[in-house]
Amino acid sequence: MALAEESVPARYLRMPHVEKGMAVGLFGGSFNPPHAGHALVAETAIRKLRLDQLWWMVTPGNPLKDRGALAPLAERIAMSEKRVSDPRIRVTAFEMRYRIRYTADTIRLVKSRHPGVFFVWIMGADSLRDFHRWERWREIAESVPIAVFDRPGATLSFLSSTMARAFSHARIAETEAARLARLSPPAWTFIHGPRSSLSSTALREAARR
């Protein structure tokens, strides 16, 4: 077991328990650090998408981001737990155990381990802008429904992004969000507000001053 993994409590290296028929949100990120904006997205997702659970997946590292400024995984898990108040939100870092780097592999794994569970990918509109740079992004969109949540300065991403244009035919109205998790992919929606102006990047920069 690698040193980084040894410092993470074993319960976080396992996938949360789910039952067949559940609707589960997959909310992944570096959470470096986690903040109230992340919690707002998670809580809004549970309500708008009618989820039974949401997995707050703290990743070992994002291939598209600088890992030099990344806080230790155990530290980001502990900080994430402090942001969570709804018992349906489960903080996990199972991607570390399986040495997963890419979202497409995460989705493939959770679907193979949990047949009969309805998974939906959750992300911010700022991530939607660069979604086409993700490894096997089309495979992701064709594997699970996707809920995109509004972020300040990124509201128009759902119109201008490569993903939004490529899968425009699969977008459903926000008013239909409650049934998204149980739709066959590709299927996605854009959730407007409430929005938080907080960002992990800004918080890290402020901490350095």
Side-chain angles (χ1 to χ4, degrees):
M1 186 179 286
L3 188 61
E5 187 174 330
E6 286 178 350
S7 65
V8 175
R11 67 183 182 277
Y12 293 111
L13 299 177
R14 297 188 293 267
M15 292 184 201
H17 176 75
V18 289
E19 302 284 349
K20 285 186 178 180
M22 282 186 171
V24 177
L26 301 175
F27 184 36
S30 300
F31 300 110
N32 186 44
H35 52 69
H38 294 133
L40 180 62
V41 168
E43 291 160 4
T44 303
I46 282 183
R47 186 177 70 256
K48 294 260 189 174
L49 303 177
R50 306 241 180 117
L51 301 176
D52 297 296
Q53 277 187 28
L54 179 140
W55 294 2
W56 180 303
M57 303 186 303
V58 186
T59 65
N62 185 331
L64 295 179
K65 293 183 179 179
D66 176 19
R67 298 185 63 158
L70 198 61
L73 180 60
E75 183 179 319
R76 289 180 284 127
I77 290 171
M79 290 189 293
S80 293
E81 284 285 19
K82 291 179 181 179
R83 290 290 178 185
V84 171
S85 58
D86 191 318
R88 292 170 293 183
I89 300 174
R90 310 291 174 86
V91 176
T92 180
F94 69 86
E95 288 169 308
M96 166 65 79
R97 175 185 176 187
Y98 293 98
R99 303 292 190 267
I100 292 175
R101 293 187 66 216
Y102 299 113
T103 296
D105 295 322
T106 298
I107 292 170
R108 184 176 291 182
L109 176 65
V110 299
K111 290 187 68 178
S112 67
R113 291 295 180 95
H114 301 291
V117 174
F118 300 96
F119 290 103
V120 56
W121 186 258
I122 293 163
M123 66 180 181
D126 48 345
S127 295
L128 182 65
R129 284 183 302 214
D130 297 321
F131 189 69
H132 63 284
R133 296 177 60 207
W134 292 23
E135 185 79 9
R136 309 198 311 275
W137 67 275
R138 287 181 179 273
E139 178 185 324
I140 297 170
E142 292 168 352
S143 298
V144 289
I146 297 173
V148 182
F149 286 78
D150 201 1
R151 292 279 292 152
T155 303
L156 297 181
S157 295
F158 75 102
L159 294 176
S160 60
S161 75
T162 300
M163 181 275 191
R165 294 196 303 270
F167 290 95
S168 60
H169 63 284
R171 183 185 172 203
I172 68 168
E174 183 177 350
T175 54
E176 299 293 312
R179 66 187 186 92
L180 178 67
R182 289 178 166 80
L183 293 180
S184 296
W188 67 283
T189 194
F190 191 95
I191 307 293
H192 293 83
R195 301 184 302 176
S196 170
S197 60
L198 292 171
S199 81
S200 295
T201 301
L203 290 173
R204 287 196 304 274
E205 291 175 351
R208 294 193 197 104
R209 294 172 190 157

